[in-house]
């Protein structure tokens, strides 16, 4: 089962929507509000969770600290609906590539790179 840790930059509503869709998701806002990026990565590793974020800093940090997976949203339209649609697309079209990779996603394009 996919397990997500949704960063503060992405928002608690995204985590709630993932839960509604049956996924194991927690928000940084709920469990470690204000945590440093490194602490978030450590938590993701400990709990085998994929980090979902809009924060570009996670891209280079992930190459060093290797979380289980990273979805980096680079969206022009930063609405909850757009975030959910893009994440949904990743889950259902690229599910086998989520763990062990950095996925950079826009509304139109998805790039997958190994960690």
């Amino acid at each position: 089962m996919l397990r997500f840790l949704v960063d503060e930059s992405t928002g608690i509503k995204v985590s709630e929507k993932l839960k509604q869709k049956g996924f194991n998701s927690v928000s940084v806002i709920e469990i470690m509000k204000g945590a440093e990026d490194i602490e978030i990565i450590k938590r993701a590793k400990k709990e085998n969770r994929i980090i979902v974020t809009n924060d570009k800093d996670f891209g280079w940090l992930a190459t060093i600290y290797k979380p289980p997976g990273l979805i980096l949203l680079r969206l022009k339209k930063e609405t909850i609906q757009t975030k959910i649609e893009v994440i949904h697309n990743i889950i259902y079209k690229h599910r086998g590539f989520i763990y062990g990779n950095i996925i950079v996603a826009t509304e139109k394009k998805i790039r997958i790179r190994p960690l």
Side-chain angles (χ1 to χ4, degrees):
M1 171 183 257
L2 296 175
R3 298 168 53 89
F4 297 99
L5 179 58
V6 180
D7 187 35
E8 287 179 276
S9 65
T10 306
I12 195 168
K13 296 281 188 195
V14 171
S15 180
E16 290 170 357
K17 292 283 187 184
L18 286 167
K19 285 180 196 174
Q20 289 172 4
K21 292 184 178 282
F23 293 101
N24 184 321
S25 179
V26 294
S27 171
V28 169
I29 293 170
E30 295 173 300
I31 61 170
M32 52 191 309
K33 187 175 182 174
E36 296 291 326
D37 294 347
I38 300 298
E39 294 304 313
I40 294 167
I41 291 172
K42 287 179 183 176
R43 181 79 174 247
K45 288 175 77 168
K46 180 180 176 186
E47 298 179 6
N48 197 34
R49 292 187 182 277
I50 298 145
I51 298 170
V52 180
T53 187
N54 295 60
D55 183 347
K56 290 187 288 186
D57 289 341
F58 275 98
W60 70 268
L61 288 170
T63 62
I64 298 167
Y65 296 100
K66 310 279 190 219
L70 176 70
I71 296 174
L72 177 59
L73 302 174
R74 305 299 302 142
L75 306 174
K76 290 181 182 173
K77 190 174 180 185
E78 290 280 332
T79 66
I80 294 166
Q81 184 63 35
T82 302
K83 292 174 186 178
I84 290 297
E85 287 173 6
V86 170
I87 294 167
H88 183 268
N89 185 37
I90 292 166
I91 291 170
Y92 291 100
K93 291 185 178 178
H94 305 284
R95 186 182 207 113
F97 297 98
I98 297 175
Y99 278 103
N101 291 294
I102 297 173
I103 298 174
V104 180
T106 68
E107 288 90 340
K108 297 179 181 180
K109 187 176 176 183
I110 294 172
R111 289 181 294 148
I112 302 171
R113 298 207 172 119
L115 280 166

